[in-house]
Structures are given as structure tokens and as C-alpha cells.
Amino acid sequence: MEKKIKIGLIGLGTVGTGVVKVLKNFDNIEIKGVAVHNINKPREVEVSNLTDDPYKLVNDPEIDIIVEVIGGCNPALDIIETAIKNGKHVVTANKELLARHGAYIFDLANKYNKVILYEAAVAGGIPIITPIKTTMRVNEFESVAGILNGTTNYILTKMEEEGLSYKDCLKKAQDLGYAETNPTSDVEGYDAMYKIATLANIAFNKRIDINKIFKEGITKITKEDIDFANELGYKIKLIGLARKTENGKIDVRVHPMLVEKDNPMAKIGNALNAVLVKGHPIGEVVFSGPGAGEFPTASSVAGDILIIASELNKYDEILPMARCNHTEFANQVDILDTENSYYISITAKNIHGTIGYIGTICGKNHINILSILQKGLSSDHKSARIIVITEKCFEKDIQNAVKELENIGENDEKFISINNIIRVME
Amino acid sequence: MEKKIKIGLIGLGTVGTGVVKVLKNFDNIEIKGVAVHNINKPREVEVSNLTDDPYKLVNDPEIDIIVEVIGGCNPALDIIETAIKNGKHVVTANKELLARHGAYIFDLANKYNKVILYEAAVAGGIPIITPIKTTMRVNEFESVAGILNGTTNYILTKMEEEGLSYKDCLKKAQDLGYAETNPTSDVEGYDAMYKIATLANIAFNKRIDINKIFKEGITKITKEDIDFANELGYKIKLIGLARKTENGKIDVRVHPMLVEKDNPMAKIGNALNAVLVKGHPIGEVVFSGPGAGEFPTASSVAGDILIIASELNKYDEILPMARCNHTEFANQVDILDTENSYYISITAKNIHGTIGYIGTICGKNHINILSILQKGLSSDHKSARIIVITEKCFEKDIQNAVKELENIGENDEKFISINNIIRVME
């Protein structure tokens, strides 16, 4: 009979509550204490040893594993740091902490011969971290791309299905509890950025500097963009992308993308998440499922706890494959040096030669136009909406072309304005 | 520095060759020998120590892991049995062996404190065995359903996309090397049966008797069935299904199913595989990717080898979570006691009251009709094709109703013949 593994749970919000419920069925795991911000707040689950001092738990010599589900870096970083120094293994769902301070805490964990598991930090309930670190370990990964934020995927899905504006769909998401009152972290792409940083990190065995990750959210996506994309055979998704370039650099970014309708990513609707992994020898595999929520996330957190518990009784140096085995930072690509195909939404004054301007300036900047779409004129006949899809070209050339286009005009009157630029997924 | 892990590779066909290529990049793994049927046959890869006697390897005290990729039960079973008794861990891609003799070899492995890993035995390159055993271990699984045979999925996809007959598409699959000259194992559902048996086994922690698995292949599926299904909003897929019933029994079966077009399974085309896992707390996750082929399968085999190697240097009792921790056989449900919704394709003589007969006999057998579809008459006006979709009802009632329908007639002339019955996925 195994000895009971004692855990200290830091945080009793949605995820923490789910973890308590799930672990009830496992009598080899004992929740020795739970640290919360307000011990007087009524709770959905009954827990003994509620405390408002997390250090009571991280300093408790009886506790084997600290489970951190409060999110954010402060005080989570110090709590985890102290836990590791006190000889505890760590399970966390904290994507921001991993993205910002992963290098430090993984070094610390290795120094103290402890493991940090974080399956729940990326794509909630979907098993992706452990499969990449174990079953798929033999692979030379080419790219990892994902729909990693359920809130924005829900908003984009509703915009498409119900023809509503971004604002209306954000409101819907907030009413349903999919989006926070302050939705910045989701809609501006921070959440997806933290997650793709972690995926890039384990897929390419390099550390990722999130300050070098290009990030763009979905706030500029309009109903028109979605309709035009649809007409051209695409859906618009917020994609976290990490790929290895020919010269061995790592290209990591988060931004909306036009995704061909027959791409598996295009079929992931509502609040679901999906991760598409390409590599050799495996080829292409897709993992999809619930990216958030009390129970799916608890499935991953509790899974990590069982994984640690399974070896904890037996070995001193547990789970070698789960450890961080790299310290080198990736040579990250600047977005300006990336090559993409682009969707460009243009509003042009109804004057002679506008299409000519567009064609000429694109050509001058080494940009080939793949397709162009203009549907009549605005109701007042003063302007036209023109959609251009380019062939693959350099981001810096696109940026230059856009500047030039926006400068065309007479006196103070500009002829062309760019409504939106969206990259197209390969 | 870890000591080199020495493996003995049994089989150098497609998968074995892929494994040799993939392991070249891992200098902590040494292929000490390779056993083949014919040592004189020219090989795609260069290997030292080729032998036609697998026992040279399983009896070699220096070898740590035996990797069996010959398939079939004889001589694979005896080879694996001997390897375990000689203190070797085993990696196998042998779905038939696991399904037929799993109970025996897992008991043996436990007795000798060895592990058997088999990620490649189900869904080729897709990580599914290890995730179910580790990351998803906390879950109470409700069902596991999969498109587990790429050959039949390719044939059904082509029948739908190109409007060709089963025969023509089988020919195509054979020309492309997707199907064997003798396609029985694929098209009659044996291959999918072995795989769903293993999935049921690990998801429900019970042993599965494959003789109690209802199995039906795709040979009776016609172009008409696919067209009618399409018209009614479904695709036809060969599904391996394992589900826990209300009374705790396990319902395991393989047969074609009508799958609603917006079900993730319906979107898996060509030779791809997919596994849909439902459970609590995780909800629903889908894994999809290449289900076969040299490289995807080698990814899983080599992954298992690395997983064993990672702990082999350090511990005596490695990978506790990977072991078989159950010996009890499942209480399996007889297909006659299952409840399903059914697609029934009927050819009826052009006489009065046929629809009446169908309605009456269905009603008498507690079968409610959900939808019924008749499109005019046959060119000779002598008969009509009628498609019935039933509500959920018992298989035994359907079987009785079908017998009764086929008996309606005058003298030797029967009025109704049943062309096909296909279950509908929930």
C-alpha cells in the first residue's frame, strides 16, 4: 500500500474547486490544506484546513506537492519558489508565470531535483504537454499552431454565425462568463501568447523571450472581414504559431489568421481549443477539446498530481522526461522578417486608377497579388471596398507598401485607407 | 552520462525500417540486433547484426528492450513471452497480439516486473494510449469512439467524394498500397476490433474478450447508402465504439455508423484516424492524425522506447503508470441488448400498403420511425427504395422487425427486402 501523498492547494477559484471535487475519488491523495484570499467567503466545496496564508502550506514539511491555481505572477512566483526550495514538487496551471519566469523556476526545480508539471496551463483539458514531452519526444518538430484562447474563438465564431459585430459578441461572451469584465488578456492575445510560448519552449527545446513574440488581438476584426474571408474560402481564427525556420530560428507569434475552410483549425468552433503539431516522423496530428472550464482544467491538474504521485513513493529522481532539459534561449524571428500571404482590406476613393496605384505599389515592393475583389461602390458612390490577397511576401515589404498606399493623395486628401491586414495561414 | 540502452528489433518491414531510421538520431539507444525472416533480402536501411533467429536477441543478456514489429500472434507471442521471462521490457505495435493475448502477457510482465508499451498498436502516430493512462487518468470515461482503420476510411471517403462503388474504391486503395491484396482484416473490421478492444481495456480498466465484440465491416455499404445518408445529413464511417452502460457493463463493438456531419468524426477523411474520448471531468477531446505508415508508426514505437529508456538507468520498478493494474474481465453487452437509432434501406414491391406494413411491423416491435424517405419508383415501376431512420430502439426489436418484414408476401413472392441496416451514432 502506497503512502498517502499530501498536497497543498493554493487557490480555490473555479479550477481549484474542480480539483478538490476530482481528487475526492483518489484516496492515495490527501489535500492537507487550501490557501485562499478570503477564508470567510462561502465555498462550493467543503475543505478542511482553509488558510489565508499560502506559506503555511509551502512551509509544511508534510506536504509533498504544491498545486498552484491562483494565476498571475505575484504572489504565485514567490510561493512556487519557496515550495521548490522547501523540497516540494509543483503542479501549476499558471501560463503567465511559466511564460514570464519559466527559465528561472525550471532551473531552480532542476537544482533542487524537483519537477514542475503544467498540463493545464495550455489548452485546459487537452493532453498536449505530456504527449509532446514523452510519446512524441522522438520528433523533430516543424511547427505547433493552435487555437489557444476559447474566449476569442467563441467571439469569432459568433461573429461569423450570427453576423454580429465584435462588440455584440464580446458582450455575449461576457454575459456567458466566457470573457472577463476586462477582456484585455483574451482579446488582445496575451493569454494565447503565454500558451504558445510554452508550446514553443517544449517543442523546440529552447527558452522563449515573450518580449520578442509578435502579438495582435482580434479587436480590429470586423464583420466585413469575416464575410470577405468566407467568400474567399477562409475563416478567421486567432492563431498562436511557433515554427522553426530554414535557418534554425524560431518564429513565435499570435495574431488573427485567415484559415482555409478545410484546414482542421477552421473546424474548431465556439470556445473549443485545438493544437496542430507538425513534425518528423509523426507528420501532422491535431488535438482538440475544451480549453478552459472548471472540470476540463481540473482533469489536467489532477492528472499531473497523479503522475507525480505514481513515482513519488519509489524514486528520488522522479519523471526524468518531465524535466526541463534545456537552458539556451531560442533565436527568435522578428515579425518584419517573416514571410506570409496577406489579406488586405482597402477603402479607396472612387477615382480613376486606384487599382493601378495598388498594383504598382505592391509590385514595387516585391508583392504579388493572388486575388483581388471589389464589389461595386459604397452607397454614396464616393468610395469602394477592395480586398487584396497577396502571394507569400515579406512582412516588411507589406508594411512599406501600406505606408505608401496611405500616402497617395492630393494636398491633404488621401485616396486610400487600409482598414485591416490579416495574415493567411499556410 | 546515461549508459546506452540496447534494443533488439524483431521485424524490419515498413514499421521496423522506420524505427531504425528514427533511432539513428538518438545516441543513447543502440540497436544491438535485428531479426528478420530473410536475411538476404535487400534492405532500405543499413543494419548490423541481422539475424533470422529472433531468439538470438530475446536470449541476449545485453539487450534491455525487445521491440516487436512483425505483427500476428505466431511467433510474436512466444518471442514476447520469452523476452519478458528473460527480464526484458517490451515495445510492440501488435494490436492483434494485445487483443488476443493481452491478459496473459500483461500478467506475465507484472510477474517479472517488466513493462509492455504499445502506443503504436492503436491509431499509429496519434498519442492516445499514454495520454489515457497518464494525463487523463483521473477521468471516469463514458465512451471511447474511433475511426481506427485508415484503409476503410479511405474507401468510404472515396465512395462519397467520387461516387464510386465499394469495389472500385477497394481497388484504388490496393493500387495505392493502403489495402492488402487480401483486404479481409481491414474491410471486415478485424483491425478496428483489435484496436477498440485495447482502447476499451485501458479506458475502463477491464479486460475485454474479443469473442464478445460485435463486428461488422464495410463490404455491404453501397453508393446508394452513402448518398441517402448524405441527403439526411450524415456520413458513413466505420466506428470502433466502447462505452460504459448505465448498469456498469461495457458495450464494445465495431460497425459502420451514420455520423452527423457536424460530429468531429464526420470530418476525418481519407486514411486518417481519430479517437473521440468522453469522460468526466474532461468532457470531450478528439485526437486525430495518421493512423498508419512507416514514419507515424515509428514515431510511437520510438517514443515508447525513449519512455522506457528514460527510467531504465535509474529505477528497478519503472513506469508504474504504464503497467496493467487490472485483471478482471469486463461484463460485455450483447449487441442484441444495445439501443441504437437505425438507418434501414428497404426495397419494396410497388403494391398497395407497403408503407403501411413497415409502419405496422415497426410499431408492433416498439420501434418509432424518425424519418422515412421514398423517391419515386424504380425505372421499371415494379419497386421502390424506401429509407427509414428509427428513433432509439433495441437491436433485438430491429432484428425481429426485419425478419417479419422480409416474410410479408403471397405464396413464394415476397414484397419487401432489406438491403442494409446501419446504426446511427448518438
Side-chain angles (χ1 to χ4, degrees):
Chain A
M1 177 51 200
E2 289 185 344
K3 97 166 207 291
K4 263 195 187 215
I5 302 300
K6 295 193 171 61
I7 74 167
L9 181 61
I10 314 294
L12 195 56
T14 310
V15 176
T17 304
V19 171
V20 172
K21 291 177 185 169
V22 170
L23 288 179
K24 278 207 179 352
N25 315 329
F26 295 87
D27 45 19
N28 61 321
I29 309 289
E30 175 192 337
I31 301 175
K32 176 124 194 268
V34 181
V36 294
H37 187 65
N38 171 4
I39 52 172
N40 300 319
K41 188 170 155 196
R43 303 285 171 180
E44 202 188 313
V45 287
E46 230 180 77
V47 286
S48 51
N49 308 334
L50 211 58
T51 172
D52 55 10
D53 176 11
Y55 293 90
K56 273 217 181 99
L57 305 180
V58 294
N59 292 324
D60 179 342
E62 277 198 353
I63 286 177
D64 306 291
I65 306 170
I66 287 294
V67 179
E68 182 273 309
V69 288
I70 47 176
C73 292
N74 180 18
L77 175 58
D78 188 72
I79 289 169
I80 287 176
E81 188 180 341
T82 314
I84 292 167
K85 288 178 174 167
N86 288 342
K88 299 174 193 327
H89 298 284
V90 172
V91 171
T92 177
N94 195 328
K95 55 208 169 257
E96 181 177 357
L97 181 86
L98 294 169
R100 294 190 186 280
H101 305 287
Y104 172 68
I105 61 172
F106 286 113
D107 283 348
L108 192 70
N110 285 340
K111 182 175 162 208
Y112 284 84
N113 187 23
K114 293 290 166 275
V115 293
I116 303 169
L117 299 193
Y118 47 93
E119 186 63 64
V122 179
I126 305 171
I128 183 69
I129 304 295
T130 299
I132 289 177
K133 279 178 160 286
T134 61
T135 302
M136 295 194 278
R137 185 69 279 165
V138 298
N139 284 272
E140 182 79 27
F141 293 107
E142 177 189 317
S143 68
V144 182
I147 293 172
L148 301 171
N149 179 268
T151 308
T152 47
N153 202 51
Y154 174 84
I155 292 171
L156 292 171
T157 305
K158 287 299 158 209
M159 284 175 75
E160 184 208 345
E161 287 176 355
E162 301 178 13
L164 298 173
S165 70
Y166 164 75
K167 262 197 158 47
D168 294 343
C169 296
L170 171 60
K171 175 79 170 52
K172 259 181 187 284
Q174 284 168 324
D175 295 344
L176 284 163
Y178 287 164
E180 320 261 331
T181 325
N182 173 357
T184 308
S185 168
D186 292 322
V187 300
E188 296 296 353
Y190 288 93
D191 177 80
M193 177 183 72
Y194 300 140
K195 293 166 175 172
I196 194 64
T198 289
L199 286 176
N201 171 294
I202 60 170
F204 301 115
N205 269 314
K206 290 266 175 24
R207 289 176 174 178
I208 303 298
D209 178 353
I210 60 168
N211 302 309
K212 294 181 183 161
I213 297 178
F214 176 82
K215 177 185 67 56
E216 184 183 296
I218 65 164
T219 55
K220 288 188 312 183
I221 304 291
T222 64
K223 202 187 146 313
E224 290 68 32
D225 292 326
I226 287 173
D227 295 343
F228 280 120
N230 186 46
E231 194 164 334
L232 294 158
Y234 300 92
K235 295 197 176 210
I236 298 178
K237 296 288 184 186
L238 181 66
I239 300 289
L241 173 67
R243 48 181 284 276
K244 192 177 237 165
T245 64
E246 299 63 35
N247 50 31
K249 292 185 172 186
I250 308 297
D251 173 15
V252 191
R253 36 183 163 133
V254 174
H255 52 65
M257 280 187 146
L258 266 66
V259 180
E260 280 175 2
K261 283 176 185 171
D262 62 359
N263 183 306
M265 292 287 118
K267 297 164 182 166
I268 305 302
N270 297 311
L272 289 180
N273 279 200
V275 180
L276 169 60
V277 177
K278 285 188 197 180
H280 179 78
I282 201 166
E284 214 173 293
V285 285
V286 180
F287 304 71
S288 63
E294 172 182 7
F295 283 119
T297 312
S299 170
S300 292
V301 172
D304 282 346
I305 293 168
L306 291 199
I307 288 172
I308 293 177
S310 72
E311 299 203 341
L312 205 47
N313 283 314
K314 306 183 179 63
Y315 324 133
D316 12 299
E317 194 193 316
I318 67 167
L319 301 169
M321 278 188 125
R323 291 157 189 262
C324 173
N325 54 5
H326 57 270
T327 54
E328 188 190 339
F329 271 83
N331 184 347
Q332 288 172 244
V333 180
D334 186 308
I335 188 72
L336 290 173
D337 300 325
T338 64
E339 274 185 294
N340 308 277
S341 167
Y342 295 83
Y343 158 102
I344 308 174
S345 168
I346 299 167
T347 300
K349 285 232 163 341
N350 179 17
I351 52 159
H352 298 310
T354 332
I355 297 274
Y357 285 127
I358 296 169
T360 315
I361 290 175
C362 283
K364 192 163 142 283
N365 287 283
H366 332 100
I367 299 162
N368 296 338
I369 291 173
L370 183 69
S371 44
I372 187 156
L373 175 67
Q374 177 184 342
K375 292 186 136 188
L377 298 169
S378 61
S379 47
D380 62 7
H381 281 246
K382 288 211 170 88
S383 68
R385 169 73 55 97
I386 300 167
I387 301 298
V388 170
I389 303 254
T390 75
E391 289 184 8
K392 231 173 148 192
C393 58
F394 280 102
E395 176 91 12
K396 55 167 132 18
D397 290 331
I398 285 288
Q399 300 297 351
N400 293 333
V402 164
K403 278 193 209 75
E404 289 186 43
L405 285 167
E406 287 186 316
N407 281 327
I408 300 165
E410 281 159 0
N411 320 324
D412 300 349
E413 193 202 38
K414 303 293 181 202
F415 295 163
I416 290 172
S417 67
I418 306 297
N419 310 306
N420 207 352
I421 300 175
I422 308 172
R423 296 162 192 86
V424 181
M425 196 175 203
E426 271 186 72
Chain B
M1 176 54 201
E2 289 185 344
K3 98 168 210 291
K4 265 197 184 207
I5 303 300
K6 294 193 171 61
I7 73 166
L9 180 61
I10 315 294
L12 194 56
T14 310
V15 176
T17 303
V19 171
V20 171
K21 290 177 186 171
V22 170
L23 287 179
K24 276 206 180 356
N25 315 328
F26 295 86
D27 45 20
N28 61 322
I29 309 288
E30 174 192 338
I31 301 176
K32 178 131 194 262
V34 181
V36 295
H37 188 65
N38 171 3
I39 52 172
N40 301 318
K41 188 171 155 193
R43 303 286 172 180
E44 203 188 313
V45 287
E46 229 180 77
V47 286
S48 52
N49 308 335
L50 212 57
T51 170
D52 55 9
D53 176 12
Y55 292 90
K56 272 216 182 100
L57 305 181
V58 294
N59 293 323
D60 179 341
E62 277 200 349
I63 285 177
D64 305 291
I65 306 170
I66 286 294
V67 179
E68 181 274 310
V69 289
I70 47 175
C73 293
N74 180 19
L77 176 58
D78 188 73
I79 289 170
I80 286 176
E81 189 180 340
T82 314
I84 292 167
K85 289 178 174 166
N86 288 342
K88 298 172 193 329
H89 298 284
V90 172
V91 172
T92 177
N94 195 328
K95 55 206 167 260
E96 182 177 357
L97 181 87
L98 294 168
R100 294 190 186 281
H101 305 287
Y104 172 68
I105 61 172
F106 286 113
D107 284 346
L108 192 71
N110 285 340
K111 182 176 162 207
Y112 284 84
N113 188 22
K114 294 289 165 275
V115 294
I116 302 169
L117 298 193
Y118 46 93
E119 186 63 66
V122 180
I126 305 171
I128 182 68
I129 304 296
T130 299
I132 288 178
K133 281 178 159 285
T134 62
T135 303
M136 294 193 279
R137 184 71 279 165
V138 298
N139 283 272
E140 183 79 25
F141 293 108
E142 178 189 317
S143 68
V144 182
I147 294 172
L148 301 171
N149 179 268
T151 308
T152 47
N153 202 51
Y154 174 84
I155 291 171
L156 292 170
T157 305
K158 287 298 158 213
M159 285 175 73
E160 185 208 343
E161 287 176 354
E162 300 179 14
L164 299 172
S165 71
Y166 164 76
K167 261 199 161 48
D168 294 343
C169 295
L170 171 59
K171 176 80 171 53
K172 258 180 186 282
Q174 285 168 323
D175 295 345
L176 284 162
Y178 286 163
E180 320 261 332
T181 324
N182 172 357
T184 308
S185 169
D186 292 322
V187 300
E188 296 296 352
Y190 289 94
D191 177 80
M193 177 183 72
Y194 299 140
K195 292 166 175 170
I196 194 63
T198 288
L199 286 176
N201 172 295
I202 60 169
F204 301 114
N205 268 315
K206 290 266 178 9
R207 289 175 174 179
I208 303 298
D209 178 352
I210 59 169
N211 302 309
K212 294 180 183 162
I213 297 178
F214 176 81
K215 176 185 67 56
E216 183 183 296
I218 65 163
T219 55
K220 288 188 312 184
I221 305 290
T222 64
K223 201 186 146 314
E224 290 67 34
D225 293 325
I226 286 173
D227 294 342
F228 280 120
N230 185 47
E231 193 165 333
L232 293 159
Y234 299 92
K235 295 197 176 209
I236 298 177
K237 296 288 184 186
L238 181 66
I239 301 290
L241 172 68
R243 48 180 284 277
K244 191 178 238 165
T245 65
E246 299 61 36
N247 50 32
K249 293 185 172 187
I250 308 296
D251 173 15
V252 191
R253 37 185 161 131
V254 174
H255 51 66
M257 279 187 148
L258 266 66
V259 179
E260 280 175 2
K261 283 176 184 170
D262 62 0
N263 182 308
M265 291 289 117
K267 298 165 181 163
I268 304 301
N270 297 311
L272 288 180
N273 279 201
V275 181
L276 169 59
V277 178
K278 285 188 198 180
H280 179 77
I282 201 165
E284 212 172 296
V285 285
V286 180
F287 303 72
S288 63
E294 172 181 6
F295 283 120
T297 311
S299 170
S300 292
V301 172
D304 282 346
I305 293 168
L306 291 200
I307 289 172
I308 293 177
S310 72
E311 300 203 341
L312 205 48
N313 283 316
K314 306 182 178 65
Y315 324 132
D316 12 301
E317 194 193 318
I318 66 166
L319 302 168
M321 276 188 126
R323 291 158 189 260
C324 172
N325 54 5
H326 57 269
T327 54
E328 188 190 335
F329 271 84
N331 185 346
Q332 287 171 244
V333 180
D334 186 306
I335 188 72
L336 290 173
D337 299 327
T338 65
E339 274 186 293
N340 308 277
S341 166
Y342 296 83
Y343 158 103
I344 309 173
S345 168
I346 299 166
T347 300
K349 285 232 164 341
N350 179 19
I351 53 160
H352 298 307
T354 332
I355 298 274
Y357 285 129
I358 295 170
T360 315
I361 289 174
C362 282
K364 193 162 141 282
N365 287 282
H366 331 101
I367 299 161
N368 295 340
I369 291 174
L370 182 70
S371 45
I372 186 157
L373 177 67
Q374 177 184 341
K375 293 186 135 187
L377 299 169
S378 61
S379 49
D380 62 5
H381 282 244
K382 288 213 169 88
S383 68
R385 168 71 57 95
I386 301 166
I387 301 298
V388 170
I389 303 254
T390 76
E391 289 183 9
K392 231 171 146 194
C393 58
F394 280 101
E395 175 90 13
K396 54 169 134 16
D397 291 331
I398 285 287
Q399 300 297 350
N400 293 334
V402 164
K403 278 193 210 77
E404 289 186 43
L405 285 168
E406 287 184 317
N407 280 327
I408 299 166
E410 281 159 359
N411 319 324
D412 300 350
E413 192 203 38
K414 303 292 180 202
F415 297 163
I416 290 172
S417 67
I418 307 295
N419 310 306
N420 207 351
I421 300 174
I422 307 173
R423 295 160 194 86
V424 181
M425 196 174 202
E426 270 187 71

